Amino acid sequence: ILSLFMFFGFKNAMLISTAIPISMLIGFLALSSMGVTLNFVVLFALVLVLGVLVDDAIVVVENIYRHQHEYGKSPIQAARDGTAEVALPVFTSTLSTLSPFIPLLFWPGVVGDFMWYLPVTLLMTLGASLFVANVISPVQGAQWINYKKEIEKAKRALEHSSIWRKYNPVTWLYHKTDEVFFPWMQERYSVALQWALSHQALFSFPMFSVRTWKWTRFELSHRVAVLLGTVALLVFTFSLFAAMNLGMEFFPNVEPALVNVRIDTPPGTSLEVTNGLSAIVEERIAQIEGKLDVEFVAASVGTSEDPFDFGGQGTSNKAGVAVNFYEKTKRNQNSFVTIDEIRSATTGIPGGIVRVVRQEMGPPVGAAVSIEISGDDYEQLAGISRRVRESIKDVPGLVDLKDDFNTGKPEIEVVVDREKAGLLWTNTGQIAGTVRSAINGAEASKYRVGDDEYKIRVRLQEDQRTSMQDLENIHITFMNRRGTLLSIPLASVADIRKTTGVSEIRHKDLKRVITITGGVEDRVASEVLNEVKTRLAGFDLPSGYNIRFGGQDEEQGKAMAFLGQAFVVTLLLVFLTLVMEFNSIKVPLVIMFTVPLALIGVLWGLIITQTPFSLIMTGVGVISLAGIVVKNAIVLLDFARRKREEGMQLDRALVEAGRTRLRPIMLTAATTVLGVLPLATGFDFDWRAFKFVVGAESAGFWGPLGVAIISGLTISSFLTLVIVPVMYSKLEETTEWLKSLFAKTLDGEAVALTPENGKNVTEREEIVAK
């Protein structure tokens, strides 16, 4: 709103700004009808779209104001003509802005379920802004914008008003911006654009012409130099970004608000022993230096986060200690430092395996490093798993390395000797039934109280079923075939031994699989994963056994493939929209050139902020820019086309279009950038505490997307104001040259087709025209 005020004045800024609440209200109604709630992603989408909602209203209101100012039209007539003049480019630019988000609606998988709220929110609110710009803004302009009255009022105010009204900061700022700074900027821009469009040679050098076999001079005009410089900048930017190797990450690596310390003891460990280890972990956490950042610690013993562990219940050998931090502004140190302290403090606790797992932002996509070893023999898989872990355990940045091999719970196995049992006139069923009744009990009767019925279960006393000796002393009582009641000890007909039994074997694609997982700290996940892949590249595997990477790497591959397809579809949709508006191929080709200009800005933004390329956030930002950055070129070239239809020369029409559309182009870019800036930088104002906040918690997660949009839109807007007119001018010149060359060729052929040869001169003229 402040940026609008600086270029439009207080009243016009207020009129344009009404597009925000009205568009959001319509968007809320649409989202509510779809059952969408104000979740984390929807709130970010509303912040992202905040600065874009006023774009259409800016173009409409500015054009209404211009028609009153330059042509002296009445408010109502200016509202009609001004809106009609920009209606088509406004509709096209909004449609091109919406195009990138249409493919994102069909994003598959868990990541697609998470990100689906972003495009649907943007589609609803941006569609509403188009309605506001074409229906409500013209009415506002006709009612409240009156240039003549405002000028007269301003003159009277300057002549008769008080010192405060003359020299207050608000009036002074608007006056300096609108009447001093902006005209100066228009003049400087026009001069720069005229220089860039110049046909004069910037420099020349001798060159041997193969066509004429003579030395000649090659002249490089201003226009060609500008285009070659842009291509050189694009190549240099990509080369520099590749050389700096900032890495790639799936989702941004942000400071967590919650850490889970997971405790795994050997299968069969009692609840009391696991609880003792949990208490030790809690004591050690209370002794670390970062304990002041910990709001509370909550322990849960006998439960597991693994859905394969009986739904997470009844696992006495597992426990979890949740460490919750204070909000980011109240912490004394970086959460990653505190996590390292917790990991160091809980290392080496005997009796179990302790792992520190931090909370991940975004959808559950698996571990950063996930290695799946598949085959037929489970024991051999366990051996391969141990070798793999030994090979990669010392990779820098790889932490909490483990596998899901099940060592089995301790069991006492009773193996019946069928030959002995047969000699003693008993069988396996009688022996098994006796052991089962002695240990687990057997239902002897039922006890009824009123309508309630209770089962009576009989089994050995607890002190008679606690050891293997107790089990050996169990007597098998049965009646043989002769009718004699016999009682023999269990040890005489069975071998009783201690063993372990595998409680679960996991399969994937019909093969047994063991998964090795690990987290990443202090490094980019892609770097660690690439080093792991390098170490396992020549790993020796038996025949029939395979290693593949899953988890985050698998989801990252799927997301990369989808985003690549979505980017191509976006470009096609935008190009189709532009072709429909301009009824031409040349103009859309020029406008689409703004997309690589945006990539220059995105990569420089990542380089300056030292931000890794986030596949999801930066990728979505690039796709979004493909629709946003073309808006400026659409408004610019549409106006130039109108001037050419009025008979104006090409370069002059481009300069006039740039000068006239400079204000809306700058404002639409500025409002979009300023709308995303607080979230990208983490700079915010807390209205509850009434203070400024620096480094907000969500900024780390959404920051890469904000950086991509801010840097890409900023750089592309400045480059668009110069490069697009130059490229369009050069393309028109090349087209005219090709037309003349082709016409000369046809003309030479048609000369021979004289009336004497039976051809009509009119036909020759038609051929030349074609």
Side-chain angles (χ1 to χ4, degrees):
I1 294 176
L2 180 61
S3 63
L4 293 174
F5 162 73
M6 291 173 62
F7 286 94
F8 275 131
F10 181 77
K11 183 175 69 176
N12 292 342
M14 289 298 104
L15 293 179
I16 295 173
S17 301
T18 56
I20 298 175
I22 296 175
S23 300
M24 286 200 171
L25 175 61
I26 298 174
F28 285 155
L29 294 175
L31 292 173
S32 178
S33 65
M34 299 172 63
V36 177
T37 59
L38 286 178
N39 58 48
F40 181 59
V41 183
V42 170
L43 288 173
F44 169 77
L46 293 174
V47 175
L48 175 63
V49 80
L50 187 68
V52 188
L53 290 177
V54 297
D55 286 2
D56 295 341
I58 286 175
V59 176
V60 172
V61 172
E62 192 274 341
N63 210 43
I64 294 173
Y65 186 84
R66 188 179 65 85
H67 272 255
Q68 291 191 27
H69 173 53
E70 295 184 2
Y71 304 119
K73 296 181 179 179
S74 65
I76 295 179
Q77 190 63 37
R80 289 174 178 171
D81 297 344
T83 305
E85 186 179 44
V86 296
L88 184 59
V90 164
F91 174 78
T92 306
S93 61
T94 304
L95 189 59
S96 65
T97 306
L98 294 174
S99 297
F101 304 108
I102 296 175
L104 297 183
L105 290 172
F106 305 97
W107 198 332
V110 64
V111 179
D113 294 338
F114 178 80
M115 296 298 294
W116 178 81
Y117 296 97
L118 180 68
V120 73
T121 304
L122 292 170
L123 288 170
M124 293 298 105
T125 49
L126 283 174
S129 73
L130 182 63
F131 169 78
V132 172
N134 284 280
V135 177
I136 298 178
S137 293
V139 176
Q140 292 175 330
Q143 181 68 30
W144 285 297
I145 298 179
N146 193 320
Y147 178 76
K148 294 180 181 179
K149 287 185 178 180
E150 290 176 6
I151 291 298
E152 294 176 358
K153 184 178 179 181
K155 288 180 179 179
R156 289 196 303 269
L158 290 174
E159 293 173 359
H160 305 291
S161 62
S162 62
I163 299 297
W164 165 248
R165 294 190 64 181
K166 283 185 180 181
Y167 301 105
N168 70 78
V170 175
T171 304
W172 181 87
L173 180 62
Y174 173 62
H175 171 75
K176 291 296 182 184
T177 303
D178 189 60
E179 299 184 19
V180 179
F181 173 70
F182 188 71
W184 173 85
M185 187 167 53
Q186 279 184 317
E187 181 182 352
R188 294 295 91 199
Y189 167 65
S190 299
V191 172
L193 185 56
Q194 288 174 1
W195 181 91
L197 289 169
S198 175
H199 295 256
Q200 297 180 357
L202 185 63
F203 59 86
S204 61
F205 53 87
M207 185 182 68
F208 185 78
S209 175
V210 180
R211 186 176 62 179
T212 61
W213 292 95
K214 294 180 180 179
W215 283 94
T216 183
R217 295 196 67 83
F218 177 76
E219 295 183 347
L220 188 67
S221 66
H222 291 196
R223 293 184 302 169
V224 177
V226 169
L227 295 177
L228 290 178
T230 304
V231 174
L233 177 61
L234 183 63
V235 174
F236 172 74
T237 301
F238 274 93
S239 303
L240 180 63
F241 185 78
M244 296 191 69
N245 191 23
L246 297 175
M248 178 184 289
E249 54 188 10
F250 194 34
F251 276 97
N253 188 23
V254 299
E255 291 185 50
L258 178 68
V259 171
N260 278 312
V261 182
R262 296 179 183 172
I263 305 168
D264 292 332
T265 59
T269 304
S270 66
L271 202 63
E272 290 75 14
V273 174
T274 307
N275 187 45
L277 290 179
S278 174
I280 295 174
V281 169
E282 292 181 67
E283 290 175 3
R284 294 195 179 184
I285 292 175
Q287 297 172 0
I288 63 175
E289 294 182 6
K291 61 184 178 182
L292 296 177
D293 292 345
V294 177
E295 184 177 10
F296 63 82
V297 176
S300 178
V301 183
T303 60
S304 171
E305 294 187 1
D306 193 336
F308 289 98
D309 291 331
F310 307 102
Q313 302 296 324
T315 49
S316 62
N317 65 311
K318 295 187 178 183
V321 179
V323 182
N324 196 83
F325 298 131
Y326 285 105
E327 60 184 58
K328 190 175 181 180
T329 55
K330 297 180 180 180
R331 299 174 199 164
N332 297 310
Q333 64 182 17
N334 192 298
S335 295
F336 290 119
V337 177
T338 308
I339 292 173
D340 289 337
E341 292 177 357
I342 294 174
R343 184 176 285 110
S344 300
T346 55
T347 300
I349 297 179
I353 300 174
V354 180
R355 294 178 295 111
V356 180
V357 182
R358 58 186 175 88
Q359 182 188 35
E360 297 288 347
M361 299 286 283
V365 293
V369 176
S370 180
I371 307 168
E372 297 175 355
I373 308 170
S374 59
D376 296 326
D377 187 86
Y378 201 59
E379 292 297 330
Q380 193 163 3
L381 285 175
I384 297 173
S385 172
R386 285 191 293 269
R387 288 166 49 208
V388 169
R389 282 190 287 114
E390 286 295 322
S391 301
I392 64 174
K393 67 179 182 181
D394 57 343
V395 172
L398 183 61
V399 297
D400 299 326
L401 193 64
K402 76 176 189 79
D403 61 37
D404 60 358
F405 171 68
N406 187 280
T407 57
K409 292 184 178 181
E411 296 178 347
I412 295 178
E413 194 176 62
V414 180
V415 182
V416 178
D417 189 330
R418 297 176 181 271
E419 186 176 354
K420 289 182 179 180
L423 292 174
L424 295 174
W425 303 97
T426 185
N427 55 51
T428 305
Q430 290 176 329
I431 297 172
T434 302
V435 174
R436 184 183 299 109
S437 299
I439 303 301
N440 290 339
E443 184 180 334
S445 181
K446 292 181 180 179
Y447 175 69
R448 186 185 298 275
V449 178
D451 294 334
D452 298 326
E453 188 176 77
Y454 304 93
K455 296 178 181 179
I456 301 175
R457 184 172 293 275
V458 179
R459 61 176 175 172
L460 292 179
Q461 296 181 10
E462 188 172 354
D463 58 353
Q464 295 175 338
R465 49 183 171 85
T466 56
S467 65
M468 285 185 61
Q469 187 177 0
D470 294 336
L471 196 59
E472 292 172 353
N473 293 332
I474 293 177
H475 279 64
I476 311 299
T477 303
F478 61 94
M479 185 174 292
N480 63 13
R481 296 178 181 178
R482 299 178 179 179
T484 306
L485 187 65
L486 301 177
S487 180
I488 58 175
L490 179 62
S492 63
V493 291
D495 181 21
I496 303 172
R497 58 194 179 208
K498 289 183 178 180
T499 184
T500 57
V502 177
S503 59
E504 61 182 31
I505 297 178
R506 302 185 182 186
H507 293 78
K508 189 169 185 180
D509 297 332
L510 303 179
K511 285 193 174 184
R512 295 179 174 182
V513 63
I514 291 178
T515 305
I516 301 173
T517 57
V520 174
E521 295 289 350
D522 303 326
R523 287 184 71 186
V524 179
S526 60
E527 295 180 359
V528 176
L529 185 60
N530 289 334
E531 188 168 341
V532 169
K533 288 182 177 180
T534 302
R535 293 197 180 190
L536 298 179
F539 194 82
D540 185 26
L541 286 172
S543 178
Y545 292 81
N546 298 302
I547 289 180
R548 67 182 296 270
F549 292 86
Q552 191 178 113
D553 184 59
E554 184 178 11
E555 291 293 334
Q556 183 169 319
K558 294 178 181 177
M560 187 179 298
F562 172 78
L563 289 177
Q565 296 171 358
F567 187 67
V568 173
V569 173
T570 296
L571 295 180
L572 293 176
L573 288 175
V574 173
F575 186 77
L576 180 62
T577 304
L578 297 177
V579 169
M580 287 191 299
E581 180 193 355
F582 291 98
N583 194 25
S584 167
I585 297 295
K586 293 183 298 182
V587 178
L589 285 176
V590 174
I591 294 176
M592 294 303 293
F593 189 69
T594 57
V595 177
L597 297 182
L599 290 178
I600 294 176
V602 171
L603 296 183
W604 274 108
L606 298 179
I607 292 171
I608 293 172
T609 59
Q610 290 295 291
T611 304
F613 191 97
S614 172
L615 179 62
I616 299 299
M617 295 304 167
T618 312
V620 171
V622 170
I623 293 176
S624 304
L625 282 172
I628 296 175
V629 296
V630 299
K631 297 181 70 171
N632 297 333
I634 291 173
V635 174
L636 181 68
L637 293 184
D638 180 78
F639 191 86
R641 184 185 63 173
R642 291 176 179 273
K643 288 298 180 183
R644 290 202 68 193
E645 291 173 354
E646 295 174 4
M648 190 176 290
Q649 189 265 342
L650 175 61
D651 289 352
R652 184 183 172 189
L654 290 171
V655 173
E656 180 65 18
R659 186 192 66 81
T660 305
R661 294 304 186 201
L662 181 63
R663 187 197 301 258
I665 287 175
M666 288 188 58
L667 280 178
T668 53
T671 52
T672 304
V673 168
L674 293 174
V676 183
L677 190 63
L679 193 56
T681 59
F683 182 79
D684 196 11
F685 188 80
D686 189 342
W687 292 97
R688 293 170 298 177
F690 211 74
K691 65 177 183 179
F692 286 100
V693 178
V694 180
E697 202 156 331
S698 59
F701 186 72
W702 296 108
L705 198 156
V707 168
I709 291 179
I710 289 172
S711 57
L713 186 56
T714 301
I715 300 298
S716 69
S717 296
F718 283 104
L719 292 177
T720 297
L721 288 169
V722 177
I723 304 302
V724 168
V726 171
M727 188 174 181
Y728 182 69
S729 175
K730 184 62 179 176
L731 186 60
E732 283 286 344
E733 180 189 4
T734 304
T735 304
E736 292 298 328
W737 177 77
L738 290 174
K739 282 183 178 179
S740 63
L741 182 64
F742 189 59
K744 286 180 181 178
T745 304
L746 287 176
D747 191 28
E749 294 176 356
V751 168
L753 304 178
T754 58
E756 289 77 10
N757 293 331
K759 294 294 181 180
N760 194 303
V761 177
T762 306
E763 184 177 348
R764 169 186 172 277
E765 292 175 351
E766 291 177 356
I767 295 174
V768 173
K770 290 180 181 178

